[in-house]
Amino acid sequence: MNYLTEKNNKVYLKGEIITDAEFSHEVYGEKFYEMSVMVKRLSGQADILPITISDRLILDKNLQVGSIINAIGQFRSYNKLVGGRSKLMLTVFIRELLDDDEVYKNPNNIVLCGYICKPPVYRTTPFNREIADLLIAVNRSYNKSDYIPCIAWGRNARFVKNLEVGEKIAVSGRIQSREYQKKLSETETVTMT
């Protein structure tokens, strides 16, 4: 395991498991499952985060719906065919479960170090807030990379709008989820997360 690539992508989260474990894949006899975790914000809102976790960790801590998970991992991406189209999927890959007394100040924290892989898209919201969308390639062991979409706000958005493709950047923040309405046609909309 390459120590430098391990530091490129760190996630800490603490929240409640809200879905049953669903089989995802198997690697060298180790089975991995997907679940969703609800992490509350200080505002009272909650982020619903997808996690991928080894069956060994699930069994060791008897994790199930309603359990609190306190973990360190990495934010990973992969492509999945959905409706005949490739869709970028994002998940927190749990590497280690922590004891309950090991608590970080923020229950949803991510630090990434990677490279800008698309020109940043800068705009203002309907409420006149500045925002910039970034796509960051974060290197991982075994010559793999994760492609993580990020959003910068305010003065950070003004700063990153001028970054060039290939520039190295380090970011910290939280993993956020939200539901929104995507308009498919004049009469049809679908709720997306």
Side-chain angles (χ1 to χ4, degrees):
M1 201 61 54
N2 183 333
Y3 176 73
L4 290 176
T5 57
E6 292 301 305
K7 291 184 65 122
N8 283 346
N9 184 339
K10 281 198 158 274
V11 172
Y12 167 76
L13 68 83
K14 182 174 184 176
E16 179 183 348
I17 296 172
I18 59 170
T19 61
D20 288 322
E22 187 175 306
F23 178 76
S24 171
H25 63 283
E26 185 173 335
V27 178
Y28 299 114
E30 186 174 8
K31 294 182 171 101
F32 292 89
Y33 290 83
E34 294 176 342
M35 303 169 148
S36 291
V37 174
M38 179 179 62
V39 180
K40 294 225 175 175
R41 297 186 204 164
L42 291 175
S43 67
Q45 295 284 348
D47 292 306
I48 309 300
L49 307 180
I51 67 167
T52 302
I53 187 168
S54 166
D55 61 340
R56 297 172 189 171
L57 293 174
I58 293 171
L59 294 172
D60 185 43
K61 295 287 187 178
N62 191 26
L63 295 176
Q64 56 193 334
V65 172
S67 297
I68 300 298
I69 187 169
N70 190 20
I72 292 176
Q74 294 180 316
F75 204 43
R76 295 200 177 169
S77 68
Y78 61 96
N79 289 310
K80 182 177 181 179
L81 277 178
V82 178
R85 294 181 54 172
S86 182
K87 182 177 178 184
L88 182 68
M89 306 298 288
L90 301 165
T91 186
V92 177
F93 183 82
I94 302 298
R95 299 184 64 79
E96 180 182 350
L97 294 176
L98 302 173
D99 294 328
D100 286 335
D101 60 346
E102 294 181 73
V103 178
Y104 287 63
K105 186 175 182 180
N106 183 344
N108 178 352
N109 188 28
I110 183 168
V111 176
L112 301 172
C113 185
Y115 300 89
I116 304 289
C117 42
K118 284 176 40 176
V121 177
Y122 175 83
R123 64 188 190 286
T124 55
T125 68
F127 296 108
N128 211 28
R129 295 196 58 200
E130 295 171 287
I131 185 173
D133 295 309
L134 306 166
L135 186 62
I136 300 175
V138 179
N139 292 332
R140 180 169 18 128
S141 296
Y142 309 111
N143 293 323
K144 294 189 178 196
S145 294
D146 293 296
Y147 296 88
I148 312 295
C150 299
I151 299 173
W153 294 86
R155 68 186 185 109
N156 290 328
R158 284 192 304 276
F159 173 77
V160 301
K161 74 179 181 180
N162 298 315
L163 294 177
E164 300 285 330
V165 171
E167 282 192 66
K168 191 171 187 178
I169 187 171
V171 298
S172 67
R174 72 169 183 244
I175 304 168
Q176 183 174 312
S177 68
R178 67 177 176 85
E179 287 188 345
Y180 61 95
Q181 300 292 318
K182 182 175 181 179
K183 193 172 186 177
L184 300 177
S185 68
E186 288 298 318
T187 59
E188 192 177 5
T189 61
V190 63
T191 300
M192 306 280 288
T193 302

